[in-house]
């Protein structure tokens, strides 16, 4: 499901993923069952399967950069740190 979102070229949204008010820059892969709300995804990101961003502001701020307006920025470097 993609709602009120902007997808650039070479973006793949896998099955059962949900994007709402999200901007995804080129060459990104959104994993199955990922849920992104009010997010900007940097170029070349590989969003892991089942990642949820936009539901818990405290958790989002701990893992990613979150603005005072509630927008969360995700970069590949931030995603790599999740796996550590």
């Amino acid at each position: 499901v993609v709602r009120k979102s902007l997808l650039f070229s070479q973006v793949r949204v896998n099955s059962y993923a949900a994007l709402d008010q999200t901007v995804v820059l080129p060459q990104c892969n959104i994993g199955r069952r990922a849920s992104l709300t009010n997010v900007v995804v940097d170029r070349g990101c590989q969003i892991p399967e089942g990642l949820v961003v936009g539901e818990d502001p405290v958790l989002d701020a701990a893992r990613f950069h979150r603005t005072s307006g509630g927008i969360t920025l995700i970069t590949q470097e931030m995603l790599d740190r999740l796996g550590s």
Side-chain angles (χ1 to χ4, degrees), residues 26-37:
Q27 302 169 348
C28 291
N29 183 49
I30 311 299
R32 288 174 59 99
R33 292 183 172 76
S35 176
L36 307 177
T37 304

Side-chain angles (χ1 to χ4, degrees), residues 11-48:
V11 171
R12 180 183 174 106
V13 179
N14 287 284
S15 53
Y16 309 107
L19 305 177
D20 190 15
Q21 299 180 33
T22 295
V23 176
V24 184
L25 296 178
Q27 302 169 348
C28 291
N29 183 49
I30 311 299
R32 288 174 59 99
R33 292 183 172 76
S35 176
L36 307 177
T37 304
N38 293 329
V39 174
V40 176
V41 180
D42 193 20
R43 172 186 293 267
C45 283
Q46 303 299 309
I47 301 296

Side-chain angles (χ1 to χ4, degrees), residues 57-69:
V58 174
L59 181 60
D60 293 346
R63 300 184 296 174
F64 306 109
H65 176 75
R66 189 168 187 278
T67 68
S68 59

Side-chain angles (χ1 to χ4, degrees), residues 43-55:
R43 172 186 293 267
C45 283
Q46 303 299 309
I47 301 296
E49 185 173 329
L51 180 69
V52 176
V53 178
E55 292 182 12

